[in-house]
Amino acid sequence: MPPDPRFRVGDIAARTGVSVRTLHHYDEIGLLRPAHRTVSAHGSGHRLYSVADLSRLQQILSLRQLGFTLDEIADALAGPRFDPLAVVRLHLARAKEVLKSQHQLCDRLEHLAGHLERAEEVSADTFLRTVEATIMAENHFNLPPDQAATLAAHWAQYSPADIEAVQNEWPILIGKVKDAMTAKKDPRSPEVRALAARADELTRMFTGGNASVSAQLRQRYESDPELQQKAGIDPAVMAYLAQARGE
Amino acid sequence: MPPDPRFRVGDIAARTGVSVRTLHHYDEIGLLRPAHRTVSAHGSGHRLYSVADLSRLQQILSLRQLGFTLDEIADALAGPRFDPLAVVRLHLARAKEVLKSQHQLCDRLEHLAGHLERAEEVSADTFLRTVEATIMAENHFNLPPDQAATLAAHWAQYSPADIEAVQNEWPILIGKVKDAMTAKKDPRSPEVRALAARADELTRMFTGGNASVSAQLRQRYESDPELQQKAGIDPAVMAYLAQARGE
DNA sequence: GGTACCCCCTCACGCGGCGTGAGGTTCAAG
DNA sequence: CTTGAACCTCACGCCGCGTGAGGGGGTACC
């Protein structure tokens, strides 16, 4: 049995480029506690990271690159069925996007350089497109996670069984709502209000309770008739539910 | 004569992705003032950007991407002979570096994903290398400008004539210092101190007064005998100058 | 067993570059 | 002349560490 290796902050810093301060910080906020520490009388001992810790560090950096805040990352990693492979795949997808936008940026910069070399007048459009490419490259790198990533990261926390259960319940629930509508039941009745509440609950599971995600999702539903049909939601149902919620 | 086009904050934001707040901010700190404003009685009018402003915006974003702070960018753009083409070329070079590191990152992530898919045990080394690739990709994107960029950006502010003048003066100055040394003149004499002061001045022109750059430069000179010969500086001269400065 | 040297530790302050309302004004279309 | 969208000016807030200061711990070589 090989004694599993231990890594000290300096080792990790030297080999990866992660700063010592960053490791300290992640420890402070409880995001990445080293598996062990050396024992000592006075101060606290030196941090000793295990291989599992390195794995977690990799996940953290991938999620950070995806634009999540450290708090969000902590939540994601704490999820019951969180999936490292899914995270790596998301990061990979993002990295490929960056590649593409970076390529475009190079094209644009070369274009602009060409104009400047020939001392030509440069059009506003050229500047605008160059700036756009610059910003897009930045966005793919730094910015808040897009819905896709947010949703994916959220879904990764649920098991396939959970997901299936939700997807099965949804049409049933909508069916009940439609029944209530055709029966002309009062939307403010306790029965209908319960249905609406459950619908909201399921929606929250879908969106992870993220306000901006659910807002965007609603917009897309409202503007896309096809999606409405697939989910069985039409404006009438939406209005009915809104009434039930007391709006 | 076509009336040159004017752009409003919203136009620019919509077409490039630069936020309105960012434009406001650059205006506030005096980094990018719009060429015009609409006139109005109470508040200040709407900002109207000219094509020249767009050009400046492009330069700002390129320099920002290179890792300069907004203050540094302001200085660079205020330089007497600052060169937009040089900036674009630097940005392009950087963008290509990013492409390379991003490629490596993709390789590493695919490697890691492969291991995870096959549910194999993943080695510490694999994690470390993946983390390293992640950090390197970030560094090429976000980090403070390396000396190369700093120096290049600084040099871009001088005309070829300026540069030549400095390069001509340097050997003459060093010659005078050596003369003083062989004549065993007191390093604290006003004459020698003046020479040292001028040497520092020229050095500052070389390094742009950037402390970290000049520090790095000194280290390289101290550790590289070849460079010393080319510049005519040997440890004895350095020591003599240090005395003249009163160290 | 000493002891030199480097690495590690714990505070704790600070900050760059905007995001994000709040509350009022201006512009262009109808 | 009236909208409504787009613009304006404050002004507070924040993430994720960087960067010292001041002091203990580990280890390799004598």
Side-chain angles (χ1 to χ4, degrees):
Chain A
M1 206 161 129
D4 51 14
R6 304 292 170 81
F7 301 88
R8 318 218 318 247
V9 280
D11 299 342
I12 299 181
R15 295 203 46 185
T16 68
V18 175
S19 79
V20 172
R21 178 67 176 102
T22 297
L23 292 173
H24 284 179
H25 186 61
Y26 291 172
D27 188 4
E28 270 178 34
I29 65 174
L31 184 54
L32 177 62
R33 318 311 264 279
H36 306 277
R37 277 186 179 231
T38 62
V39 280
S40 73
H42 276 61
S44 353
H46 295 188
R47 294 169 177 82
L48 296 175
Y49 293 84
S50 69
V51 175
D53 292 334
L54 295 183
S55 167
R56 190 175 167 96
L57 176 59
Q58 184 279 314
Q59 295 282 305
I60 290 170
L61 295 185
S62 280
L63 287 168
R64 191 185 67 172
Q65 186 65 29
L66 284 165
F68 293 98
T69 69
L70 297 185
D71 283 355
E72 288 167 340
I73 293 174
D75 289 352
L77 295 183
R81 299 198 43 96
F82 127 87
D83 176 4
L85 176 55
V87 172
V88 173
R89 285 197 178 129
L90 280 173
H91 189 180
L92 181 55
R94 169 66 71 98
K96 286 186 175 166
E97 278 182 49
V98 173
L99 266 182
K100 270 201 278 184
S101 57
Q102 204 67 14
H103 240 120
Q104 285 206 14
L105 175 57
C106 285
D107 287 352
R108 279 278 129 214
L109 286 173
E110 274 168 0
H111 181 187
L112 178 55
H115 276 266
L116 291 175
E117 276 165 15
R118 282 171 271 136
E120 297 170 359
E121 287 240 336
V122 185
S123 74
D125 200 63
T126 296
F127 287 128
L128 288 171
R129 286 184 188 284
T130 308
V131 170
E132 183 194 6
T134 306
I135 298 294
M136 285 198 59
E138 276 188 8
N139 283 357
H140 280 145
F141 219 90
N142 299 324
L143 241 80
D146 49 278
Q147 321 112 301
T150 307
L151 285 177
H154 179 70
W155 279 110
Q157 295 186 238
Y158 292 93
S159 70
D162 291 335
I163 297 173
E164 211 181 342
V166 171
Q167 291 189 331
N168 287 337
E169 186 177 346
W170 187 250
I172 297 174
L173 189 67
I174 294 298
K176 285 186 186 171
V177 173
K178 286 190 175 170
D179 287 350
M181 273 177 66
T182 54
K184 306 217 174 190
K185 284 189 182 167
D186 178 6
R188 301 295 302 155
S189 70
E191 189 189 336
V192 178
R193 293 177 69 169
L195 290 178
R198 181 60 182 162
D200 287 349
E201 213 170 306
L202 290 183
T203 307
R204 246 173 288 133
M205 286 194 66
F206 262 104
T207 62
N210 182 311
S212 76
V213 170
S214 51
Q216 289 218 344
L217 209 57
R218 275 198 194 187
Q219 274 211 328
R220 296 194 57 180
Y221 267 95
E222 283 174 11
S223 63
D224 186 343
E226 268 194 70
L227 265 179
Q228 288 183 10
Q229 266 205 315
K230 273 180 77 175
I233 297 184
D234 55 51
V237 176
M238 292 284 271
Y240 193 69
L241 286 177
Q243 284 190 302
R245 279 194 297 264
E247 288 169 12
Chain B
M1 206 163 130
D4 51 15
R6 305 292 171 83
F7 301 88
R8 322 225 319 258
V9 281
D11 298 342
I12 299 181
R15 294 202 46 186
T16 69
V18 175
S19 79
V20 171
R21 178 65 176 104
T22 297
L23 292 172
H24 283 180
H25 185 60
Y26 291 172
D27 189 3
E28 269 179 34
I29 66 174
L31 183 55
L32 177 63
R33 317 310 264 278
H36 306 276
R37 276 184 180 234
T38 62
V39 279
S40 72
H42 276 62
S44 353
H46 295 188
R47 295 169 176 81
L48 296 175
Y49 293 84
S50 70
V51 175
D53 294 333
L54 296 184
S55 167
R56 190 176 168 94
L57 176 59
Q58 185 278 314
Q59 295 282 305
I60 291 171
L61 296 185
S62 280
L63 287 168
R64 189 183 70 174
Q65 187 65 30
L66 283 166
F68 294 98
T69 69
L70 296 186
D71 284 354
E72 288 168 338
I73 294 174
D75 289 353
L77 295 183
R81 299 199 43 95
F82 125 86
D83 176 6
L85 177 55
V87 171
V88 173
R89 284 196 179 130
L90 280 173
H91 189 181
L92 182 55
R94 171 66 72 96
K96 285 185 175 167
E97 278 183 46
V98 173
L99 265 184
K100 270 202 276 184
S101 58
Q102 205 67 13
H103 240 119
Q104 286 204 14
L105 175 58
C106 284
D107 287 353
R108 279 279 128 213
L109 286 172
E110 274 167 0
H111 181 186
L112 177 56
H115 276 267
L116 291 174
E117 275 165 14
R118 285 172 269 135
E120 297 168 0
E121 287 239 337
V122 185
S123 74
D125 199 63
T126 297
F127 287 128
L128 287 170
R129 286 185 187 284
T130 309
V131 169
E132 183 194 5
T134 307
I135 298 294
M136 286 198 58
E138 277 188 8
N139 283 357
H140 280 146
F141 220 91
N142 299 324
L143 241 80
D146 49 277
Q147 322 114 297
T150 308
L151 284 177
H154 178 70
W155 279 109
Q157 294 184 238
Y158 292 92
S159 71
D162 291 335
I163 295 175
E164 213 180 340
V166 171
Q167 291 187 332
N168 287 336
E169 186 177 347
W170 186 250
I172 297 174
L173 189 67
I174 294 297
K176 287 186 187 170
V177 173
K178 286 190 176 170
D179 289 348
M181 272 177 69
T182 55
K184 303 215 177 197
K185 285 190 182 164
D186 179 5
R188 300 295 303 152
S189 71
E191 190 189 337
V192 178
R193 292 177 72 169
L195 291 178
R198 181 60 182 162
D200 287 349
E201 215 170 304
L202 290 184
T203 306
R204 244 174 288 133
M205 286 192 69
F206 262 105
T207 62
N210 182 312
S212 77
V213 169
S214 51
Q216 289 217 344
L217 209 57
R218 276 199 193 187
Q219 274 212 326
R220 294 194 58 180
Y221 267 96
E222 284 175 10
S223 64
D224 186 342
E226 270 194 68
L227 265 180
Q228 288 184 9
Q229 269 205 314
K230 273 180 75 175
I233 298 185
D234 55 54
V237 176
M238 292 285 271
Y240 194 67
L241 286 177
Q243 283 188 303
R245 278 194 298 264
E247 288 170 10

